[in-house]
Amino acid sequence: MPTLYHHPMSPASRFVRLILSEYGYQTELSEEQPWENRRDFLTLNPAGTLPVYVDDSMRALCGATIISEYLDETSGIMKRDRRLLAEDPFQRAEIRRLTEWFLQKMEADVTRPLVRERIFKLQMTPDQGGGAPDSKILRTSRSNIRQHMKYLSWLAGSRPWLAGDRISYGDLAAAAAISVLDYLGEIDWSDAPSAKEWYQRLKSRPSFRPLLAERVRGVTPVSHYADLDF
Amino acid sequence: MPTLYHHPMSPASRFVRLILSEYGYQTELSEEQPWENRRDFLTLNPAGTLPVYVDDSMRALCGATIISEYLDETSGIMKRDRRLLAEDPFQRAEIRRLTEWFLQKMEADVTRPLVRERIFKLQMTPDQGGGAPDSKILRTSRSNIRQHMKYLSWLAGSRPWLAGDRISYGDLAAAAAISVLDYLGEIDWSDAPSAKEWYQRLKSRPSFRPLLAERVRGVTPVSHYADLDF
């Protein structure tokens, strides 16, 4: 069975888990602490990023973009109306733009610093950079959330799904990032009714269930985290 | 004619210019100063990143990954042995991994901070963050170059082209980043004979000529920058 090296609080890992589940693939999960720079893991992926997908022939695919393109080329293409990337090149470009937005731009502006300060640093040794969260970084990241939620609300309010008429990688990428921030109680839903309605639809999919059941050491999720009707 | 919004010292912009030129496409170039956050530019690409490709129907494609995938789907696929992405999904994954390595990882570790400190800050107003380079950032980025040059040398020494037997997006991405650092005199070639031999081959291609003729205000390139036999 293929193995996915992941971390429960990595949006890119969650994104790939959602794709695999939507396409009905079984994968063994292996949790990786990315700050440990484990030697064997760096042999698999010299860039040290998550997730990494290792297939039955022990070939490694590194990173969410590369794994998701590979899964589209080898599986998605056969899924017809359940395909998570479009047929039309411009529509594909729009799906990729949104996937990048949530897994790279929002990741840099908001998710990576918040997860690092609030979760990873609790588990890191002082040598690895562990310790108390930096309040300045928390403040900046939290003020960046607002812009991203505005954009998400605009997308969710103006299209059936974020990239158009059908669910796509764009929705899974956004929901992967939002679910991590929601676990941490960082999302103010009262301000974003259309984003909320969109996220409820995503949360209700069977592929989302394992993510909602997940807990990380030392940080309890906000009370509505697994609630489908929050 | 399509327009490419770019900056001469942006590796991602240079990468797309190389692809367009290798495939024989004419594009109008429009230089964009990314730190200005120009309103009309942000309408094209809300993420504010370069390059942006606007086709004849005024549809915008944002960012190097998205543009390069689009060009492969609409042009590359017809180029047979001149195609810059492979047919095999695993080979495609390896090309994408290297493209990401040089345009994202090396960009974050080395190129973006060096270009910002040494070029952009000269042209930015104090309000925009302009001023003298930060010597600590210069030091860190320069020490990161060594690891990346080691990896490049290993790739160039063990394969005909970086991702395998044929020239690919991986080579163009790496050469785009290296050419910016070489302009700034940041590459020590004496230590990297196989990388140097590889870069000489790239530099000699007609697609590279416009990049070697380019100059940015206030920063003269190192003397061997445009030299094919450096």
Side-chain angles (χ1 to χ4, degrees):
Chain A
M1 196 188 290
T3 303
L4 188 77
Y5 292 82
H6 82 118
H7 189 282
M9 291 289 118
S10 139
S13 302
R14 289 188 160 212
F15 168 63
V16 170
R17 289 166 68 192
L18 288 170
I19 301 172
L20 290 166
S21 171
E22 289 282 338
Y23 283 165
Y25 286 104
Q26 297 286 327
T27 325
E28 198 162 308
L29 290 176
S30 174
E31 188 173 325
E32 186 68 32
Q33 318 301 328
W35 61 87
E36 286 181 351
N37 291 321
R38 202 164 56 82
R39 217 192 167 91
D40 286 352
F41 179 65
L42 291 178
T43 309
L44 280 178
N45 181 10
T49 47
L50 286 173
V52 174
Y53 178 88
V54 180
D55 80 350
D56 289 329
S57 317
M58 296 301 289
R59 292 184 295 192
L61 295 169
C62 305
T65 309
I66 284 146
I67 300 170
S68 66
E69 293 291 341
Y70 175 84
L71 291 173
D72 182 63
E73 289 164 0
T74 54
S75 309
I77 208 166
M78 274 96 78
K79 299 286 176 188
R80 297 171 179 269
D81 61 341
R82 286 178 48 236
R83 186 175 186 180
L84 296 162
L85 251 181
E87 306 284 323
D88 173 69
F90 256 99
Q91 189 56 32
R92 292 165 72 80
E94 177 63 0
I95 293 171
R96 288 183 178 122
R97 184 182 73 83
L98 293 176
T99 305
E100 232 180 57
W101 183 281
F102 291 101
L103 295 187
Q104 287 180 33
K105 184 167 170 55
M106 192 179 184
E107 178 79 8
D109 295 348
V110 178
T111 329
R112 188 186 305 129
L114 279 179
V115 166
R116 188 182 156 86
E117 296 302 320
R118 293 199 47 201
I119 301 182
F120 289 178
K121 279 171 79 172
L122 289 175
Q123 294 171 42
M124 289 156 95
T125 63
D127 275 3
Q128 291 166 332
D134 179 322
S135 59
K136 201 177 146 212
I137 298 179
L138 292 181
R139 219 166 28 242
T140 311
S141 315
R142 280 171 179 156
S143 93
N144 289 338
I145 293 182
R146 261 171 261 146
Q147 288 307 314
H148 282 281
M149 284 304 286
K150 254 195 207 168
Y151 191 51
L152 178 65
S153 295
W154 178 80
L155 291 167
S158 55
R159 302 165 170 185
W161 295 93
L162 299 190
D165 289 336
R166 272 165 45 187
I167 188 169
S168 76
Y169 281 173
D171 298 281
L172 302 187
I178 292 293
S179 68
V180 167
L181 294 170
D182 196 42
Y183 185 104
L184 292 170
E186 297 285 359
I187 308 274
D188 177 6
W189 291 108
S190 65
D191 234 18
S194 55
K196 184 176 172 175
E197 188 276 324
W198 162 86
Y199 186 52
Q200 273 172 333
R201 269 185 286 150
L202 262 297
K203 254 179 138 173
S204 309
R205 297 178 79 84
S207 62
F208 231 83
R209 257 177 239 150
L211 306 186
L212 299 179
E214 214 153 43
R215 298 293 176 269
V216 284
R217 190 155 44 113
V219 185
T220 319
V222 78
S223 60
H224 66 252
Y225 172 65
D227 209 339
L228 298 185
D229 192 24
F230 55 107
Chain B
M1 197 186 291
T3 303
L4 188 76
Y5 292 83
H6 82 117
H7 189 281
M9 292 289 119
S10 138
S13 303
R14 289 187 159 213
F15 168 63
V16 169
R17 289 166 68 192
L18 288 170
I19 300 171
L20 290 165
S21 173
E22 289 282 338
Y23 284 164
Y25 285 104
Q26 296 286 326
T27 323
E28 198 162 309
L29 290 177
S30 174
E31 187 173 326
E32 186 68 32
Q33 318 301 328
W35 62 87
E36 285 180 352
N37 291 321
R38 200 164 57 83
R39 215 191 168 91
D40 286 352
F41 180 65
L42 290 178
T43 308
L44 280 178
N45 180 10
T49 48
L50 286 172
V52 174
Y53 179 87
V54 181
D55 79 352
D56 289 330
S57 316
M58 295 301 288
R59 293 182 295 191
L61 294 169
C62 305
T65 310
I66 284 146
I67 300 169
S68 66
E69 293 290 342
Y70 175 84
L71 291 173
D72 182 64
E73 289 163 1
T74 55
S75 308
I77 206 165
M78 274 96 76
K79 299 286 176 188
R80 296 170 180 269
D81 61 341
R82 286 179 47 237
R83 186 175 185 181
L84 296 161
L85 250 181
E87 305 284 324
D88 172 70
F90 256 99
Q91 189 55 31
R92 292 166 73 80
E94 177 62 0
I95 293 170
R96 289 184 178 122
R97 183 182 74 83
L98 292 176
T99 306
E100 233 181 58
W101 183 282
F102 291 102
L103 295 187
Q104 287 179 33
K105 185 169 170 53
M106 192 179 185
E107 177 79 7
D109 295 349
V110 177
T111 330
R112 189 185 306 131
L114 279 179
V115 167
R116 188 184 156 85
E117 296 301 320
R118 293 198 47 200
I119 300 181
F120 290 179
K121 279 171 79 172
L122 289 175
Q123 294 172 42
M124 289 156 96
T125 64
D127 274 2
Q128 292 165 332
D134 179 322
S135 59
K136 201 177 145 210
I137 298 180
L138 292 181
R139 218 165 31 241
T140 312
S141 315
R142 281 170 179 157
S143 94
N144 289 339
I145 293 182
R146 262 171 261 145
Q147 287 308 313
H148 283 280
M149 284 305 286
K150 254 196 207 167
Y151 192 51
L152 178 64
S153 295
W154 178 79
L155 291 167
S158 55
R159 302 165 170 183
W161 296 92
L162 299 190
D165 289 336
R166 273 166 42 189
I167 187 170
S168 75
Y169 281 173
D171 297 282
L172 302 187
I178 292 293
S179 68
V180 168
L181 294 170
D182 195 42
Y183 185 103
L184 292 170
E186 298 284 357
I187 308 274
D188 176 5
W189 291 108
S190 66
D191 234 18
S194 54
K196 185 175 172 176
E197 187 276 325
W198 161 85
Y199 186 53
Q200 272 172 332
R201 268 185 287 150
L202 262 297
K203 252 178 137 172
S204 309
R205 297 179 79 85
S207 61
F208 231 83
R209 257 176 240 150
L211 306 186
L212 299 179
E214 214 153 43
R215 298 293 176 267
V216 284
R217 187 155 46 112
V219 185
T220 318
V222 78
S223 61
H224 66 252
Y225 172 65
D227 209 339
L228 297 185
D229 192 23
F230 55 106

